[in-house]
Amino acid sequence: MSRKAKGGMHFEEFRATGALTETIAEDLAAVAGRYSSYLTVSCHGHSVHALVLPVCWNVLRIRAGDLVVVTAERGHRPPGDEDRYALRDFVDSFRQLTTPAGRLARA
């Protein structure tokens, strides 16, 4: 569930279901590119803008069980709603893409 912080920024924190890889980072950057919202992924004290994940995904060192925080802000299509939609789409995609295949089959 996303939460709204002061200043209109939306964020969600969750435990990663699997590791972030270069291929997954490329797919997630494509999801982020669909929105005007500024999406940021944070883990282990580092933050990366979602659009540049393909070139610096390894800085985050995300593995299964790690606490990940994703923020969304500055979206304007439509004003007030896009951040929420972008955050939900990105986090859902992150979870789906990082969930090991065996766990998906059992879900």
Side-chain angles (χ1 to χ4, degrees):
M1 167 189 264
S2 75
R3 293 178 263 179
K4 188 171 183 177
K6 290 181 180 178
M9 176 183 71
H10 290 263
F11 71 97
E12 186 164 344
E13 59 182 24
F14 57 94
R15 294 284 172 184
T17 55
L20 179 63
T21 65
E22 184 175 9
T23 301
I24 292 170
E26 290 171 0
D27 292 342
L28 290 172
V31 171
R34 296 193 291 239
Y35 300 96
S36 68
S37 297
Y38 190 92
L39 292 159
T40 304
V41 183
S42 302
C43 188
H44 299 293
H46 297 281
S47 296
V48 173
H49 185 326
L51 291 176
V52 297
L53 272 174
V55 295
C56 54
W57 62 275
N58 54 344
V59 169
L60 298 172
R61 302 182 323 268
I62 297 174
R63 300 287 179 252
D66 288 345
L67 183 63
V68 178
V69 178
V70 178
T71 61
E73 58 187 323
R74 301 184 222 158
H76 58 273
R77 297 181 311 217
D81 292 332
E82 186 174 22
D83 290 341
R84 196 166 26 93
Y85 298 142
L87 181 63
R88 171 63 29 222
D89 190 13
F90 188 86
V91 170
D92 286 349
S93 296
F94 190 105
R95 287 179 170 146
Q96 181 182 15
L97 291 166
T98 59
T99 299
R103 289 184 58 196
L104 279 177
R106 287 181 259 149

